[in-house]
PDB file of all heavy atoms in Angstrom:
ATOM      1  N   THR A 497       0.823  -1.215  -0.012  1.00 96.00           N
ATOM      2  CA  THR A 497       0.020   0.049   0.026  1.00 96.00           C
ATOM      3  C   THR A 497       0.915   1.338   0.024  1.00 96.00           C
ATOM      4  O   THR A 497       1.760   1.426   0.914  1.00 96.00           O
ATOM      5  CB  THR A 497      -0.932  -0.016   1.157  1.00 96.00           C
ATOM      6  OG1 THR A 497      -1.688  -1.275   1.223  1.00 96.00           O
ATOM      7  CG2 THR A 497      -1.892   1.177   1.198  1.00 96.00           C
ATOM      8  N   GLY A 498       0.605   2.114  -0.955  1.00 95.00           N
ATOM      9  CA  GLY A 498       1.503   3.383  -1.140  1.00 95.00           C
ATOM     10  C   GLY A 498       2.672   3.117  -1.863  1.00 95.00           C
ATOM     11  O   GLY A 498       3.474   4.079  -2.137  1.00 95.00           O
ATOM     12  N   ARG A 499       3.089   1.899  -2.237  1.00 98.00           N
ATOM     13  CA  ARG A 499       4.252   1.572  -3.021  1.00 98.00           C
ATOM     14  C   ARG A 499       3.960   1.367  -4.531  1.00 98.00           C
ATOM     15  O   ARG A 499       4.557   1.911  -5.403  1.00 98.00           O
ATOM     16  CB  ARG A 499       5.054   0.406  -2.460  1.00 98.00           C
ATOM     17  CG  ARG A 499       5.621   0.625  -1.082  1.00 98.00           C
ATOM     18  CD  ARG A 499       6.313  -0.651  -0.552  1.00 98.00           C
ATOM     19  NE  ARG A 499       6.861  -0.459   0.749  1.00 98.00           N
ATOM     20  CZ  ARG A 499       8.069   0.096   1.016  1.00 98.00           C
ATOM     21  NH1 ARG A 499       8.862   0.439  -0.013  1.00 98.00           N
ATOM     22  NH2 ARG A 499       8.530   0.297   2.226  1.00 98.00           N
ATOM     23  N   THR A 500       2.993   0.443  -4.724  1.00 98.00           N
ATOM     24  CA  THR A 500       2.515   0.160  -6.080  1.00 98.00           C
ATOM     25  C   THR A 500       1.407   0.989  -6.449  1.00 98.00           C
ATOM     26  O   THR A 500       0.497   1.312  -5.620  1.00 98.00           O
ATOM     27  CB  THR A 500       2.180  -1.328  -6.275  1.00 98.00           C
ATOM     28  OG1 THR A 500       1.118  -1.634  -5.280  1.00 98.00           O
ATOM     29  CG2 THR A 500       3.340  -2.213  -6.143  1.00 98.00           C
ATOM     30  N   GLU A 501       1.224   1.411  -7.704  1.00 97.00           N
ATOM     31  CA  GLU A 501       0.170   2.329  -8.234  1.00 97.00           C
ATOM     32  C   GLU A 501      -0.830   1.428  -9.051  1.00 97.00           C
ATOM     33  O   GLU A 501      -2.063   1.611  -8.960  1.00 97.00           O
ATOM     34  CB  GLU A 501       0.739   3.416  -9.025  1.00 97.00           C
ATOM     35  CG  GLU A 501       1.545   4.433  -8.239  1.00 97.00           C
ATOM     36  CD  GLU A 501       0.679   5.234  -7.271  1.00 97.00           C
ATOM     37  OE1 GLU A 501      -0.493   5.291  -7.472  1.00 97.00           O
ATOM     38  OE2 GLU A 501       1.218   5.962  -6.395  1.00 97.00           O
ATOM     39  N   THR A 502      -0.320   0.673 -10.025  1.00 98.00           N
ATOM     40  CA  THR A 502      -1.144  -0.124 -10.986  1.00 98.00           C
ATOM     41  C   THR A 502      -0.310  -1.058 -11.670  1.00 98.00           C
ATOM     42  O   THR A 502       0.916  -1.201 -11.314  1.00 98.00           O
ATOM     43  CB  THR A 502      -1.844   0.870 -11.896  1.00 98.00           C
ATOM     44  OG1 THR A 502      -2.932   0.155 -12.682  1.00 98.00           O
ATOM     45  CG2 THR A 502      -0.862   1.416 -13.005  1.00 98.00           C
ATOM     46  N   GLN A 503      -0.799  -1.740 -12.601  1.00 98.00           N
ATOM     47  CA  GLN A 503      -0.032  -2.746 -13.473  1.00 98.00           C
ATOM     48  C   GLN A 503      -0.426  -2.546 -14.911  1.00 98.00           C
ATOM     49  O   GLN A 503      -1.575  -2.003 -15.245  1.00 98.00           O
ATOM     50  CB  GLN A 503      -0.355  -4.230 -12.954  1.00 98.00           C
ATOM     51  CG  GLN A 503       0.272  -4.492 -11.617  1.00 98.00           C
ATOM     52  CD  GLN A 503      -0.089  -5.964 -11.248  1.00 98.00           C
ATOM     53  OE1 GLN A 503      -1.190  -6.471 -11.566  1.00 98.00           O
ATOM     54  NE2 GLN A 503       0.835  -6.535 -10.508  1.00 98.00           N
ATOM     55  N   ALA A 504       0.460  -2.968 -15.798  1.00 98.00           N
ATOM     56  CA  ALA A 504       0.184  -3.028 -17.218  1.00 98.00           C
ATOM     57  C   ALA A 504       0.596  -4.378 -17.650  1.00 98.00           C
ATOM     58  O   ALA A 504       1.543  -4.966 -17.232  1.00 98.00           O
ATOM     59  CB  ALA A 504       1.036  -1.951 -17.964  1.00 98.00           C
ATOM     60  N   ILE A 505      -0.123  -4.935 -18.581  1.00 98.00           N
ATOM     61  CA  ILE A 505       0.072  -6.321 -19.006  1.00 98.00           C
ATOM     62  C   ILE A 505       0.708  -6.432 -20.407  1.00 98.00           C
ATOM     63  O   ILE A 505       0.804  -5.343 -21.220  1.00 98.00           O
ATOM     64  CB  ILE A 505      -1.204  -7.088 -19.045  1.00 98.00           C
ATOM     65  CG1 ILE A 505      -2.284  -6.591 -19.911  1.00 98.00           C
ATOM     66  CG2 ILE A 505      -1.763  -7.258 -17.557  1.00 98.00           C
ATOM     67  CD1 ILE A 505      -3.534  -7.320 -20.057  1.00 98.00           C
ATOM     68  N   TYR A 506       1.148  -7.567 -20.800  1.00 98.00           N
ATOM     69  CA  TYR A 506       1.883  -7.808 -22.020  1.00 98.00           C
ATOM     70  C   TYR A 506       1.196  -7.093 -23.175  1.00 98.00           C
ATOM     71  O   TYR A 506       0.087  -7.432 -23.470  1.00 98.00           O
ATOM     72  CB  TYR A 506       2.017  -9.321 -22.265  1.00 98.00           C
ATOM     73  CG  TYR A 506       2.900  -9.765 -23.367  1.00 98.00           C
ATOM     74  CD1 TYR A 506       4.335  -9.755 -23.142  1.00 98.00           C
ATOM     75  CD2 TYR A 506       2.407 -10.199 -24.569  1.00 98.00           C
ATOM     76  CE1 TYR A 506       5.162 -10.166 -24.201  1.00 98.00           C
ATOM     77  CE2 TYR A 506       3.276 -10.534 -25.609  1.00 98.00           C
ATOM     78  CZ  TYR A 506       4.608 -10.523 -25.316  1.00 98.00           C
ATOM     79  OH  TYR A 506       5.537 -10.867 -26.409  1.00 98.00           O
ATOM     80  N   GLY A 507       1.973  -6.346 -23.929  1.00 97.00           N
ATOM     81  CA  GLY A 507       1.441  -5.641 -25.133  1.00 97.00           C
ATOM     82  C   GLY A 507       0.791  -4.337 -24.852  1.00 97.00           C
ATOM     83  O   GLY A 507       0.427  -3.604 -25.871  1.00 97.00           O
ATOM     84  N   ASP A 508       0.561  -4.023 -23.605  1.00 98.00           N
ATOM     85  CA  ASP A 508      -0.095  -2.631 -23.380  1.00 98.00           C
ATOM     86  C   ASP A 508       0.829  -1.512 -23.801  1.00 98.00           C
ATOM     87  O   ASP A 508       2.032  -1.596 -23.674  1.00 98.00           O
ATOM     88  CB  ASP A 508      -0.364  -2.424 -21.858  1.00 98.00           C
ATOM     89  CG  ASP A 508      -1.737  -3.113 -21.397  1.00 98.00           C
ATOM     90  OD1 ASP A 508      -2.457  -3.539 -22.274  1.00 98.00           O
ATOM     91  OD2 ASP A 508      -1.965  -3.148 -20.203  1.00 98.00           O
ATOM     92  N   ALA A 509       0.255  -0.482 -24.372  1.00 97.00           N
ATOM     93  CA  ALA A 509       0.957   0.750 -24.740  1.00 97.00           C
ATOM     94  C   ALA A 509       1.121   1.664 -23.601  1.00 97.00           C
ATOM     95  O   ALA A 509       0.224   1.779 -22.742  1.00 97.00           O
ATOM     96  CB  ALA A 509       0.254   1.384 -25.944  1.00 97.00           C
ATOM     97  N   VAL A 510       2.305   2.285 -23.438  1.00 97.00           N
ATOM     98  CA  VAL A 510       2.584   3.269 -22.415  1.00 97.00           C
ATOM     99  C   VAL A 510       3.286   4.434 -23.060  1.00 97.00           C
ATOM    100  O   VAL A 510       4.007   4.258 -23.993  1.00 97.00           O
ATOM    101  CB  VAL A 510       3.426   2.697 -21.280  1.00 97.00           C
ATOM    102  CG1 VAL A 510       2.721   1.516 -20.574  1.00 97.00           C
ATOM    103  CG2 VAL A 510       4.778   2.238 -21.826  1.00 97.00           C
ATOM    104  N   TYR A 511       3.051   5.642 -22.530  1.00 97.00           N
ATOM    105  CA  TYR A 511       3.745   6.804 -22.978  1.00 97.00           C
ATOM    106  C   TYR A 511       4.756   7.167 -22.001  1.00 97.00           C
ATOM    107  O   TYR A 511       4.585   7.341 -20.790  1.00 97.00           O
ATOM    108  CB  TYR A 511       2.775   8.025 -23.133  1.00 97.00           C
ATOM    109  CG  TYR A 511       3.435   9.271 -23.473  1.00 97.00           C
ATOM    110  CD1 TYR A 511       3.828   9.540 -24.865  1.00 97.00           C
ATOM    111  CD2 TYR A 511       3.788  10.189 -22.514  1.00 97.00           C
ATOM    112  CE1 TYR A 511       4.472  10.688 -25.173  1.00 97.00           C
ATOM    113  CE2 TYR A 511       4.331  11.394 -22.925  1.00 97.00           C
ATOM    114  CZ  TYR A 511       4.713  11.604 -24.186  1.00 97.00           C
ATOM    115  OH  TYR A 511       5.327  12.818 -24.539  1.00 97.00           O
ATOM    116  N   VAL A 512       6.012   7.330 -22.443  1.00 98.00           N
ATOM    117  CA  VAL A 512       7.227   7.626 -21.587  1.00 98.00           C
ATOM    118  C   VAL A 512       7.294   9.112 -21.366  1.00 98.00           C
ATOM    119  O   VAL A 512       7.602   9.811 -22.316  1.00 98.00           O
ATOM    120  CB  VAL A 512       8.535   7.069 -22.179  1.00 98.00           C
ATOM    121  CG1 VAL A 512       9.688   7.406 -21.173  1.00 98.00           C
ATOM    122  CG2 VAL A 512       8.359   5.540 -22.425  1.00 98.00           C
ATOM    123  N   SER A 513       7.047   9.649 -20.121  1.00 97.00           N
ATOM    124  CA  SER A 513       7.059  10.977 -19.912  1.00 97.00           C
ATOM    125  C   SER A 513       8.480  11.428 -19.204  1.00 97.00           C
ATOM    126  O   SER A 513       8.755  12.639 -19.190  1.00 97.00           O
ATOM    127  CB  SER A 513       5.954  11.364 -19.004  1.00 97.00           C
ATOM    128  OG  SER A 513       5.916  10.667 -17.745  1.00 97.00           O
ATOM    129  N   GLU A 514       9.211  10.482 -18.706  1.00 97.00           N
ATOM    130  CA  GLU A 514      10.388  10.831 -17.964  1.00 97.00           C
ATOM    131  C   GLU A 514      11.338   9.512 -17.951  1.00 97.00           C
ATOM    132  O   GLU A 514      10.741   8.418 -17.708  1.00 97.00           O
ATOM    133  CB  GLU A 514      10.092  11.347 -16.583  1.00 97.00           C
ATOM    134  CG  GLU A 514      11.333  11.839 -15.857  1.00 97.00           C
ATOM    135  CD  GLU A 514      11.011  12.433 -14.460  1.00 97.00           C
ATOM    136  OE1 GLU A 514       9.731  12.602 -14.171  1.00 97.00           O
ATOM    137  OE2 GLU A 514      11.946  12.570 -13.688  1.00 97.00           O
ATOM    138  N   VAL A 515      12.595   9.746 -17.981  1.00 98.00           N
ATOM    139  CA  VAL A 515      13.523   8.612 -17.808  1.00 98.00           C
ATOM    140  C   VAL A 515      14.509   8.969 -16.746  1.00 98.00           C
ATOM    141  O   VAL A 515      15.105  10.115 -16.794  1.00 98.00           O
ATOM    142  CB  VAL A 515      14.220   8.254 -19.139  1.00 98.00           C
ATOM    143  CG1 VAL A 515      15.359   7.284 -18.891  1.00 98.00           C
ATOM    144  CG2 VAL A 515      13.201   7.692 -20.194  1.00 98.00           C
ATOM    145  N   ARG A 516      14.789   8.084 -15.832  1.00 97.00           N
ATOM    146  CA  ARG A 516      15.714   8.328 -14.829  1.00 97.00           C
ATOM    147  C   ARG A 516      16.595   7.032 -14.484  1.00 97.00           C
ATOM    148  O   ARG A 516      15.975   6.021 -13.952  1.00 97.00           O
ATOM    149  CB  ARG A 516      14.965   8.705 -13.463  1.00 97.00           C
ATOM    150  CG  ARG A 516      15.956   9.148 -12.316  1.00 97.00           C
ATOM    151  CD  ARG A 516      15.187   9.404 -11.067  1.00 97.00           C
ATOM    152  NE  ARG A 516      14.056  10.359 -11.177  1.00 97.00           N
ATOM    153  CZ  ARG A 516      13.269  10.686 -10.182  1.00 97.00           C
ATOM    154  NH1 ARG A 516      13.225   9.970  -9.080  1.00 97.00           N
ATOM    155  NH2 ARG A 516      12.266  11.571 -10.454  1.00 97.00           N
ATOM    156  N   ASP A 517      17.751   7.079 -14.898  1.00 97.00           N
ATOM    157  CA  ASP A 517      18.644   5.858 -14.832  1.00 97.00           C
ATOM    158  C   ASP A 517      17.914   4.712 -15.445  1.00 97.00           C
ATOM    159  O   ASP A 517      17.609   4.647 -16.624  1.00 97.00           O
ATOM    160  CB  ASP A 517      18.942   5.560 -13.345  1.00 97.00           C
ATOM    161  CG  ASP A 517      19.747   6.756 -12.726  1.00 97.00           C
ATOM    162  OD1 ASP A 517      20.487   7.359 -13.482  1.00 97.00           O
ATOM    163  OD2 ASP A 517      19.601   7.022 -11.561  1.00 97.00           O
ATOM    164  N   ASP A 518      17.663   3.627 -14.743  1.00 97.00           N
ATOM    165  CA  ASP A 518      17.075   2.384 -15.247  1.00 97.00           C
ATOM    166  C   ASP A 518      15.570   2.429 -15.168  1.00 97.00           C
ATOM    167  O   ASP A 518      14.896   1.419 -15.400  1.00 97.00           O
ATOM    168  CB  ASP A 518      17.616   1.162 -14.542  1.00 97.00           C
ATOM    169  CG  ASP A 518      19.068   0.963 -14.864  1.00 97.00           C
ATOM    170  OD1 ASP A 518      19.596   1.357 -15.886  1.00 97.00           O
ATOM    171  OD2 ASP A 518      19.803   0.454 -13.915  1.00 97.00           O
ATOM    172  N   TRP A 519      14.873   3.524 -14.988  1.00 98.00           N
ATOM    173  CA  TRP A 519      13.514   3.652 -14.691  1.00 98.00           C
ATOM    174  C   TRP A 519      12.831   4.568 -15.681  1.00 98.00           C
ATOM    175  O   TRP A 519      13.499   5.502 -16.121  1.00 98.00           O
ATOM    176  CB  TRP A 519      13.245   4.038 -13.329  1.00 98.00           C
ATOM    177  CG  TRP A 519      13.526   3.040 -12.331  1.00 98.00           C
ATOM    178  CD1 TRP A 519      14.726   2.732 -11.805  1.00 98.00           C
ATOM    179  CD2 TRP A 519      12.561   2.062 -11.618  1.00 98.00           C
ATOM    180  NE1 TRP A 519      14.601   1.625 -10.862  1.00 98.00           N
ATOM    181  CE2 TRP A 519      13.219   1.244 -10.787  1.00 98.00           C
ATOM    182  CE3 TRP A 519      11.224   1.996 -11.713  1.00 98.00           C
ATOM    183  CZ2 TRP A 519      12.689   0.282  -9.984  1.00 98.00           C
ATOM    184  CZ3 TRP A 519      10.546   1.036 -10.929  1.00 98.00           C
ATOM    185  CH2 TRP A 519      11.283   0.192 -10.058  1.00 98.00           C
ATOM    186  N   ALA A 520      11.641   4.342 -15.968  1.00 98.00           N
ATOM    187  CA  ALA A 520      10.822   5.196 -16.845  1.00 98.00           C
ATOM    188  C   ALA A 520       9.504   5.540 -16.237  1.00 98.00           C
ATOM    189  O   ALA A 520       8.910   4.623 -15.607  1.00 98.00           O
ATOM    190  CB  ALA A 520      10.574   4.603 -18.258  1.00 98.00           C
ATOM    191  N   ARG A 521       9.160   6.777 -16.250  1.00 98.00           N
ATOM    192  CA  ARG A 521       7.755   7.158 -15.722  1.00 98.00           C
ATOM    193  C   ARG A 521       6.894   7.146 -16.923  1.00 98.00           C
ATOM    194  O   ARG A 521       7.167   7.717 -18.006  1.00 98.00           O
ATOM    195  CB  ARG A 521       7.834   8.574 -15.049  1.00 98.00           C
ATOM    196  CG  ARG A 521       6.471   9.002 -14.584  1.00 98.00           C
ATOM    197  CD  ARG A 521       6.485  10.267 -13.885  1.00 98.00           C
ATOM    198  NE  ARG A 521       5.115  10.744 -13.378  1.00 98.00           N
ATOM    199  CZ  ARG A 521       4.549  10.261 -12.300  1.00 98.00           C
ATOM    200  NH1 ARG A 521       5.140   9.397 -11.477  1.00 98.00           N
ATOM    201  NH2 ARG A 521       3.279  10.626 -11.997  1.00 98.00           N
ATOM    202  N   VAL A 522       5.841   6.343 -16.797  1.00 98.00           N
ATOM    203  CA  VAL A 522       4.902   6.130 -18.085  1.00 98.00           C
ATOM    204  C   VAL A 522       3.451   6.360 -17.597  1.00 98.00           C
ATOM    205  O   VAL A 522       3.059   6.270 -16.551  1.00 98.00           O
ATOM    206  CB  VAL A 522       5.160   4.695 -18.496  1.00 98.00           C
ATOM    207  CG1 VAL A 522       6.564   4.431 -18.925  1.00 98.00           C
ATOM    208  CG2 VAL A 522       4.633   3.655 -17.536  1.00 98.00           C
ATOM    209  N   GLY A 523       2.670   6.652 -18.649  1.00 97.00           N
ATOM    210  CA  GLY A 523       1.244   6.642 -18.533  1.00 97.00           C
ATOM    211  C   GLY A 523       0.646   5.504 -19.261  1.00 97.00           C
ATOM    212  O   GLY A 523       1.117   5.234 -20.416  1.00 97.00           O
ATOM    213  N   VAL A 524      -0.147   4.678 -18.631  1.00 97.00           N
ATOM    214  CA  VAL A 524      -0.721   3.487 -19.229  1.00 97.00           C
ATOM    215  C   VAL A 524      -1.978   4.016 -20.035  1.00 97.00           C
ATOM    216  O   VAL A 524      -3.012   4.259 -19.394  1.00 97.00           O
ATOM    217  CB  VAL A 524      -1.090   2.428 -18.160  1.00 97.00           C
ATOM    218  CG1 VAL A 524      -1.669   1.181 -18.820  1.00 97.00           C
ATOM    219  CG2 VAL A 524       0.075   2.103 -17.227  1.00 97.00           C
ATOM    220  N   THR A 525      -1.922   3.922 -21.329  1.00 93.00           N
ATOM    221  CA  THR A 525      -2.979   4.520 -22.207  1.00 93.00           C
ATOM    222  C   THR A 525      -4.199   3.768 -22.128  1.00 93.00           C
ATOM    223  O   THR A 525      -5.294   4.332 -22.413  1.00 93.00           O
ATOM    224  CB  THR A 525      -2.461   4.608 -23.591  1.00 93.00           C
ATOM    225  OG1 THR A 525      -2.127   3.320 -24.101  1.00 93.00           O
ATOM    226  CG2 THR A 525      -1.149   5.503 -23.736  1.00 93.00           C
ATOM    227  N   THR A 526      -4.147   2.527 -21.650  1.00 94.00           N
ATOM    228  CA  THR A 526      -5.489   1.639 -21.573  1.00 94.00           C
ATOM    229  C   THR A 526      -6.116   1.935 -20.217  1.00 94.00           C
ATOM    230  O   THR A 526      -7.269   1.345 -20.041  1.00 94.00           O
ATOM    231  CB  THR A 526      -5.122   0.260 -21.727  1.00 94.00           C
ATOM    232  OG1 THR A 526      -4.178  -0.177 -20.807  1.00 94.00           O
ATOM    233  CG2 THR A 526      -4.596  -0.025 -23.196  1.00 94.00           C
ATOM    234  N   GLU A 527      -5.495   2.748 -19.322  1.00 95.00           N
ATOM    235  CA  GLU A 527      -6.220   2.908 -18.003  1.00 95.00           C
ATOM    236  C   GLU A 527      -6.615   4.323 -17.792  1.00 95.00           C
ATOM    237  O   GLU A 527      -5.727   5.149 -17.334  1.00 95.00           O
ATOM    238  CB  GLU A 527      -5.217   2.436 -16.933  1.00 95.00           C
ATOM    239  CG  GLU A 527      -4.868   1.001 -17.003  1.00 95.00           C
ATOM    240  CD  GLU A 527      -4.063   0.397 -15.877  1.00 95.00           C
ATOM    241  OE1 GLU A 527      -3.692   1.269 -14.985  1.00 95.00           O
ATOM    242  OE2 GLU A 527      -3.631  -0.697 -15.838  1.00 95.00           O
ATOM    243  N   PRO A 528      -7.731   4.769 -18.104  1.00 91.00           N
ATOM    244  CA  PRO A 528      -8.136   6.137 -17.932  1.00 91.00           C
ATOM    245  C   PRO A 528      -8.111   6.627 -16.552  1.00 91.00           C
ATOM    246  O   PRO A 528      -8.491   5.936 -15.587  1.00 91.00           O
ATOM    247  CB  PRO A 528      -9.639   6.104 -18.480  1.00 91.00           C
ATOM    248  CG  PRO A 528      -9.750   4.854 -19.246  1.00 91.00           C
ATOM    249  CD  PRO A 528      -8.817   3.876 -18.544  1.00 91.00           C
ATOM    250  N   ALA A 529      -7.650   7.873 -16.398  1.00 90.00           N
ATOM    251  CA  ALA A 529      -7.596   8.515 -15.100  1.00 90.00           C
ATOM    252  C   ALA A 529      -7.914  10.049 -15.246  1.00 90.00           C
ATOM    253  O   ALA A 529      -7.446  10.662 -16.161  1.00 90.00           O
ATOM    254  CB  ALA A 529      -6.258   8.301 -14.446  1.00 90.00           C
TER     255      ALA A 529
END
């Protein structure tokens, strides 16, 4: 709780908004918010 936000499954499209070292901040386009 408070660590994970959501999940994306195999083949889901994501938009990369930021990259930091080995991590990427993404928006999961199939999950409206």
Side-chain angles (χ1 to χ4, degrees):
T497 304
R499 294 180 181 273
T500 55
E501 293 285 349
T502 191
Q503 290 178 326
I505 58 177
Y506 189 79
D508 275 353
V510 298
Y511 176 80
V512 181
S513 60
E514 186 179 349
V515 172
R516 186 187 303 173
D517 299 326
D518 294 330
W519 290 79
R521 182 173 177 81
V522 301
V524 185
T525 59
T526 55
E527 297 183 5

